[in-house]
Amino acid sequence: MKDLEKILEDIKLEMSLNMSAAEYMLWVDGITPVTDNGNQIIVCAPSENARNTLEDNYAFKFLDACSASNHHYDNVIFITEEDKHLFTDDSAPVPNAADMIIEEKKKPNPFVERYTFENFVVGDSNKFAFNSAMTVAENPGVNDRFLNLNPLYIYGGVGLGKTHLLHSIGNYILKNNPSLNVIYVPTERLSNEYFASLSKYSTDKDSYRNFREKYSSADVLILDDVQFLQKKGGLQDVIFHIFNDLYNKGKQIILASDRPPKDINDIEDRLRSRFEGGLMADIWTPSLDTRVSIILKKIEKAQIDLDDDVVYFLAEKINTNIRELEGALTKVIMFCQLQGSKPTLEMAKMALKENDDPKNDGVDSKKIISAVSEYFNIPEADIVSKKKNKEIVEARMIAIYLTYDILNLPLINIGQIFGGRDHTTIIYSRDKIISAINTDGKTDRIIKDLKSILNVD
Ligand code: ADP
Ligand code: MG
């Protein structure tokens, strides 16, 4: 039998390497295994709020971490304690229970719940895109001589709210016009579906037709991240045809991209001119005022009290990307919760120190573990495992010390990174290496070598 606890531990470790410590502690750390059946894993979140956040924002990361740690699941279901009996009770066969929950919780609304117009803070940088999105949501498919909103093409840099606006349109239409068939799809997923339909063609002649039909039957088609169409010849062709099918029927098409159509290289001119044929709305980086409003809105929703100086510190410091701004805010709040105090300006500065620390430019725990693994010729998995051979233990303590010294993370987080160890174990390893550096030349040499490999001081 597979040891599900161990599997989930691997997956969580993999996730921890790809997110901030605060994010990990807040959402991922508390997940526990429930069961798995075939290609699907069911895990339990500590609260309803955590469950929703995981489902909305971490499902893809979770599945990526599954494949990265060699556990192949196609689907993850996040549940809370109270639904556990559905999956563990023998009288309720697991597949049915799982279908039921998906049916109940996912089908009615494919859009992220919190991505609504109400939750979107409007400022100069995004006012035009916001109003355009709102108009389209109110009148999808309207296209007359005076107002051509088909397609609506929203573009702007990473983390500035494009996906948020697309989901807001979806949420709005689903609420006010529920009979419409609204489809949201990131271009990369569309591409995967398209190629899968082609590869299945030899055994299932309808696969491609079904794919085409699914998208051509939309009343509103929302296509995110169309810059990924670059160089994808066959896919561009299909999109061109789907686009025309929809357009001719007066259906609404909405596109988003990190750049305007003219800057997407290697797309066919006929597709580019379709993209440019409606309304183009760009979003640029928000002003200080807007950034402050965004933070205020978020802390109000989360019912967290932050002094103005902390709010301004964050808004001034993170000035290009709203996703990062949210990340920094979460980090400050988490850091203060771990320390058990209300965030002060000093605390906020400390919480974000690792971003500033010139020592750790571009280095993260993954790079440290990989450098140590290569240096000692020990697999990365062993370094974070519970194995106790002398060589492995030594390499592990060195990796722990380097993570502490270079990244300056809270000990609890370092424990998480190294296979869920207690923070006292981390202190022990750290102190052992510190004293070895002072007493034996060999350890000192190893640490210096590794730091130079990692390009830090
Ligand atoms: P993009 O798709 O442009 O890369 P996202 O839509 O994913 O960016 O936005 C990143 C994060 O920032 C999301 O969590 C989103 O809710 C938030 N965000 C972006 N713009 C705003 C805004 N104007 N008001 C509130 N939250 C915003
Ligand atoms: Mg996006």
Side-chain angles (χ1 to χ4, degrees):
M1 209 186 97
K2 283 181 285 180
D3 180 352
L4 207 56
E5 301 233 340
K6 166 80 181 69
I7 293 178
L8 189 61
E9 232 180 71
D10 291 351
I11 297 169
K12 282 160 76 170
L13 172 69
E14 187 61 40
M15 289 181 86
S16 76
L17 302 176
N18 294 307
M19 58 179 58
S20 73
E23 229 183 325
Y24 179 84
M25 291 299 291
L26 199 51
W27 307 119
V28 181
D29 188 42
I31 310 176
T32 54
V34 179
T35 183
D36 65 351
N37 71 91
N39 57 358
Q40 168 162 286
I41 181 167
I42 292 106
V43 296
C44 184
S47 66
E48 185 67 27
N49 180 31
R51 193 200 74 81
N52 293 342
T53 305
L54 285 160
E55 187 173 279
D56 291 349
N57 300 323
Y58 292 93
F60 283 118
K61 277 192 182 149
F62 188 98
L63 293 174
D64 284 347
C66 290
S67 37
S69 57
N70 270 322
H71 300 298
H72 296 288
Y73 293 108
D74 298 335
N75 191 21
V76 53
I77 299 185
F78 298 104
I79 62 168
T80 52
E81 197 65 38
E82 99 205 12
D83 285 339
K84 239 179 172 169
H85 67 279
L86 290 173
F87 296 91
T88 46
D89 186 352
D90 286 344
S91 60
V94 166
N96 293 344
D99 291 349
M100 196 187 79
I101 292 227
I102 293 176
E103 210 68 49
E104 220 176 77
K105 295 195 166 146
K106 292 221 176 97
K107 261 237 172 112
N109 188 353
F111 302 104
V112 175
E113 250 178 70
R114 73 177 180 89
Y115 287 175
T116 58
F117 289 126
E118 294 78 33
N119 286 344
F120 193 85
V121 175
V122 183
D124 284 343
S125 60
N126 57 31
K127 196 164 33 185
F128 186 63
F130 175 87
N131 287 333
S132 312
M134 195 72 182
T135 310
V136 163
E138 283 165 351
N139 310 291
V142 167
N143 186 5
D144 61 34
R145 239 160 9 104
F146 304 107
L147 186 67
N148 179 5
L149 296 172
N150 209 8
L152 170 61
Y153 187 104
I154 300 175
Y155 66 97
V158 175
L160 296 183
K162 301 181 296 294
T163 298
H164 187 137
L165 279 180
L166 297 184
H167 281 254
S168 304
I169 297 174
N171 277 317
Y172 185 97
I173 297 179
L174 227 56
K175 191 162 156 218
N176 296 291
N177 222 335
S179 61
L180 291 184
N181 178 17
V182 187
I183 301 184
Y184 167 89
V185 62
T187 301
E188 278 190 307
R189 200 190 315 151
L190 188 76
S191 164
N192 292 340
E193 275 179 40
Y194 165 64
F195 288 110
S197 81
L198 293 188
S199 69
K200 269 193 254 151
Y201 189 75
S202 58
T203 51
D204 172 9
K205 295 274 179 288
D206 289 335
S207 60
Y208 173 71
R209 206 166 48 91
N210 291 342
F211 164 80
R212 186 69 196 266
E213 179 56 28
K214 172 175 165 193
Y215 290 100
S216 295
S217 66
D219 293 307
V220 179
L221 178 64
I222 307 177
L223 191 55
D224 204 350
D225 289 321
V226 295
Q227 70 272 10
F228 289 120
L229 281 175
Q230 218 153 259
K231 300 204 173 84
K232 296 213 169 86
L235 181 64
Q236 289 181 21
D237 209 48
V238 177
I239 292 189
F240 180 75
H241 291 296
I242 294 175
F243 191 110
N244 287 344
D245 285 352
L246 294 176
Y247 189 86
N248 293 334
K249 286 190 279 182
K251 306 297 183 184
Q252 179 71 48
I253 301 144
I254 301 152
L255 308 150
S257 170
D258 67 357
R259 65 200 82 167
K262 69 175 169 43
D263 292 341
I264 306 181
N265 298 325
D266 297 307
I267 68 165
E268 298 170 26
D269 285 338
R270 57 178 187 165
L271 194 54
R272 198 193 314 273
S273 74
R274 286 288 185 288
F275 286 180
E276 287 169 344
L279 181 73
M280 296 213 275
D282 62 339
I283 302 187
W284 60 96
T285 49
S287 65
L288 179 64
D289 280 353
T290 308
R291 300 197 302 273
V292 167
S293 310
I294 288 173
I295 297 179
L296 292 178
K297 182 136 194 164
K298 300 217 180 274
I299 59 179
E300 183 198 304
K301 270 209 99 178
Q303 298 184 323
I304 286 161
D305 186 25
L306 270 194
D307 288 340
D308 283 354
D309 55 352
V310 178
V311 172
Y312 272 89
F313 164 71
L314 283 168
E316 265 169 12
K317 190 174 162 73
I318 318 278
N319 54 16
T320 51
N321 177 327
I322 297 169
R323 189 176 295 120
E324 274 176 22
L325 188 63
E326 288 179 336
L329 176 65
T330 311
K331 200 177 250 175
V332 167
I333 293 167
M334 271 308 297
F335 186 78
C336 297
Q337 277 175 3
L338 289 173
Q339 310 279 335
S341 63
K342 181 172 180 246
T344 60
L345 185 56
E346 275 316 299
M347 288 288 229
K349 284 185 178 161
M350 223 150 49
L352 298 187
K353 187 165 169 277
E354 65 190 80
N355 287 350
D356 268 359
D357 202 336
K359 267 209 297 189
N360 82 9
D361 216 12
V363 177
D364 55 23
S365 57
K366 206 168 184 158
K367 289 201 180 120
I368 294 176
I369 292 170
S370 137
V372 171
S373 149
E374 224 168 275
Y375 189 88
F376 289 103
N377 199 12
I378 289 175
E380 286 180 28
D382 284 353
I383 293 184
V384 296
S385 73
K386 302 258 180 314
K387 290 190 185 162
K388 294 213 163 62
N389 321 21
K390 187 166 171 294
E391 296 74 29
I392 297 179
V393 171
E394 188 179 296
R396 183 181 304 135
M397 289 203 293
I398 287 188
I400 289 174
Y401 169 79
L402 286 170
T403 307
Y404 163 81
D405 185 54
I406 301 171
L407 299 185
N408 213 344
L409 295 175
L411 296 169
I412 297 180
N413 301 141
I414 302 181
Q416 289 302 337
I417 293 168
F418 287 89
R421 291 186 152 73
D422 193 79
H423 71 282
T424 52
T425 318
I426 303 301
I427 295 175
Y428 175 81
S429 305
R430 177 197 66 186
D431 293 351
K432 187 111 189 175
I433 298 296
I434 291 176
S435 89
I437 291 173
N438 293 326
T439 51
D440 85 61
K442 185 174 146 238
T443 308
D444 189 42
R445 186 71 260 147
I446 293 173
I447 297 292
K448 289 209 169 95
D449 282 354
L450 279 163
K451 284 190 170 173
S452 106
I453 290 167
L454 289 164
N455 255 328
V456 293
D457 42 52

